[in-house]
Amino acid sequence: MSQEEMLEFIRLKKVLCPKCGKSNFTDIRQFNLMFATQRGVTQDVSNTVYLRPENAQGEYVNYNNVLRTMRTKLPFSIGQIGKAFRNEITPGNFTFRTIEFEQMEYQTFCKKGKDDALYEYFKNYGMGFFQFIGLDKEHLRFHDHEKLAHYAKAACDIEYLFPFGWGEVNGTHNRTDFDLQRHQEFSKRSMEYFDSSLNEKYLPYIIESTYGLDRIFLAVLFEALTVEEMEGGDTRQLLKINPFLAPIKANILPLMKKKHSEKAIEIYKELKKYFMVSYDDAGNIGKRYRRGDAIGIPFAITIDNNTLESGSVTMRERDTMKQITIDAKDLRNYLAGRVNMQNKSKK
């Protein structure tokens, strides 16, 4: 139907809104899902151009360049991270749906017949990746597409259970040879791959696995945000981000600003050569512990009289609040070991 025919049908049949029960619809309008802008050196001579709604097509256009310069053979992947833009009709749910977002993806080029195995590999790779960064497997699920795009042989999303419901964080698609076929058709340049082992040319199939970085970041925050009840009815808010993923690895805290800040700054300057660390001397030590917990800093290092006398510091863990005494000279190796240990435990 044309838009005019659809509008006539709605009015003739008095189609009702499923929510309000009325039939007072506006005229049908075409939504613009892409961002348009003008490109030209003068105002009166310009062309309409569009910000990219996805990253993939740039990889397909440059597929032959990568193939030649890397002197590679199939199967091979092109990995990319970059911004995409969509004129979202209903942006919302924090950073879940935005008009500008960051995508990470693999485009894997392969021979037809090898595509099914690679498709399954990237589906499972995605699920493993999300558990590796700390998302609970009970909050993750596969969602196979029932209706496929015209170019797709198979498609599956990985969804995370956000507080507002299940939402896509990854998509894996078997795009067949459609994209390279179309670029070849309109560019009049061959996109075929010469397979020397078989002495034949063919258009590769493409397995696409793409991740929404903003959505993953949001999922990690939701997964990590914890409110614990303490003795006496008090509560503690913390982000249980895995230490290898936490941006700031340790918080350097002088117990008393006047007495211990000089030594604390010395330790801070040494550790920041190797890690992202922060320094905090405002307020009592308990409040500083809580501030660090709330932004996900996994370790707090307290400098006190023992540090001045014997060189030992107190190391406190964010999740358990357990404290140990360690020599300041061993801090670098200890932190490196703890971060790597946490990393290995997730593999």
Side-chain angles (χ1 to χ4, degrees), residues 5-19:
E5 289 170 334
M6 284 190 284
L7 186 60
E8 182 181 356
F9 178 87
I10 290 170
R11 289 174 175 167
L12 184 65
K13 299 293 184 179
K14 293 184 170 29
V15 176
L16 301 179
C17 170
K19 289 191 176 181

Side-chain angles (χ1 to χ4, degrees), residues 34-51:
M34 292 177 63
F35 273 101
T37 187
Q38 300 299 313
R39 174 77 173 94
V41 294
T42 60
Q43 188 172 1
D44 56 334
V45 181
S46 61
N47 295 314
T48 300
V49 296
Y50 296 89
L51 301 181

Side-chain angles (χ1 to χ4, degrees), residues 37-233:
T37 187
Q38 300 299 313
R39 174 77 173 94
V41 294
T42 60
Q43 188 172 1
D44 56 334
V45 181
S46 61
N47 295 314
T48 300
V49 296
Y50 296 89
L51 301 181
R52 65 180 183 182
E54 62 175 20
N55 297 350
Q57 295 304 327
E59 290 156 290
Y60 305 153
V61 169
N62 288 292
Y63 145 79
N64 261 334
N65 294 335
V66 175
L67 188 65
R68 284 196 304 269
T69 57
M70 300 303 295
R71 302 180 66 189
T72 188
K73 294 182 179 181
L74 263 58
F76 75 93
S77 297
I78 300 176
Q80 179 176 251
I81 179 170
K83 289 191 180 298
F85 304 84
R86 292 179 192 168
N87 196 19
E88 288 288 356
I89 299 168
T90 55
N93 283 336
F94 304 99
T95 59
F96 181 81
R97 191 175 297 281
T98 56
I99 58 178
E100 174 187 341
F101 52 96
E102 203 86 19
Q103 286 185 318
M104 310 185 296
E105 62 189 30
Y106 286 116
Q107 303 293 336
T108 300
F109 301 83
C110 66
K111 180 177 172 56
K112 181 181 179 181
K114 305 289 186 181
D115 51 306
D116 292 339
L118 280 168
Y119 173 75
E120 291 299 324
Y121 168 81
F122 277 103
K123 276 179 59 176
N124 294 321
Y125 180 94
M127 187 63 77
F129 167 75
F130 289 125
Q131 292 178 52
F132 172 71
I133 63 174
L135 303 185
D136 190 331
K137 64 180 180 180
E138 298 299 322
H139 297 159
L140 296 163
R141 72 180 184 186
F142 288 117
H143 177 247
D144 291 307
H145 290 205
E146 295 179 4
K147 294 182 179 180
L148 296 174
H150 60 91
Y151 56 79
K153 178 180 175 181
C156 178
D157 297 334
I158 295 177
E159 297 180 333
Y160 175 76
L161 184 57
F162 291 94
F164 44 81
W166 291 97
E168 177 191 353
V169 289
N170 161 264
T172 298
H173 313 97
N174 185 335
R175 300 180 68 110
T176 68
D177 59 359
F178 173 82
D179 298 280
L180 295 183
Q181 195 177 83
R182 296 293 279 174
H183 283 303
Q184 178 175 270
E185 177 185 349
F186 285 93
S187 69
K188 309 302 181 186
R189 292 175 177 269
S190 175
M191 291 282 183
E192 291 183 319
Y193 171 77
F194 176 68
D195 192 327
S196 57
S197 64
L198 300 174
N199 197 30
E200 67 172 316
K201 289 184 177 181
Y202 52 82
L203 280 174
Y205 269 38
I206 297 172
I207 305 301
E208 175 186 54
S209 191
T210 181
Y211 298 76
L213 180 55
D214 309 76
R215 293 183 178 187
I216 294 171
F217 182 77
L218 186 63
V220 168
L221 290 179
F222 277 129
E223 189 73 37
L225 181 61
T226 307
V227 178
E228 291 183 349
E229 288 191 10
M230 311 292 291
E231 293 183 8

